[in-house]
Amino acid sequence: NAEKLAAWVDAKGVDIVLNKRGTTFRKLDDADKVDIDSHKAVTLMAQHPSMIKRPVAEYPGGILVGFKEDEWSAAFL
């Protein structure tokens, strides 16, 4: 939902949560790809969930977005 997406963007930033490399983002109109702030990013991801960078894991110590082995190992081991 939009509230959860907004919380993720607030915690990690638009550039971490929004997947700009995916097909869905690349197929957007050029006008939708520019001037992306947190509000616009949340709206786009709510409309197109495939634009959320994955995986996303919330845990007692914070949130992890995307897979970086060293970050996940530090968080869960």
Side-chain angles (χ1 to χ4, degrees):
N1 67 33
E3 289 177 11
K4 179 66 74 175
L5 291 168
W8 292 349
V9 169
D10 287 344
K12 298 305 253 180
V14 171
D15 292 331
I16 300 297
V17 181
L18 179 64
N19 181 8
K20 294 181 180 178
R21 292 183 173 188
T23 306
T24 304
F25 183 83
R26 290 190 312 236
K27 287 183 178 181
L28 289 175
D29 292 333
D30 288 339
D32 289 332
K33 295 180 190 179
V34 296
D35 299 326
I36 297 179
D37 60 8
S38 59
H39 180 266
K40 187 174 182 179
V42 167
T43 301
L44 287 170
M45 290 184 289
Q47 292 172 349
H48 308 282
S50 62
M51 292 174 57
I52 302 167
K53 194 172 290 180
R54 289 179 168 79
V56 177
E58 292 181 336
Y59 67 105
I63 181 173
L64 297 170
V65 180
F67 183 75
K68 292 183 181 172
E69 186 174 356
D70 57 333
E71 290 178 6
W72 285 69
S73 293
F76 295 114
L77 295 181

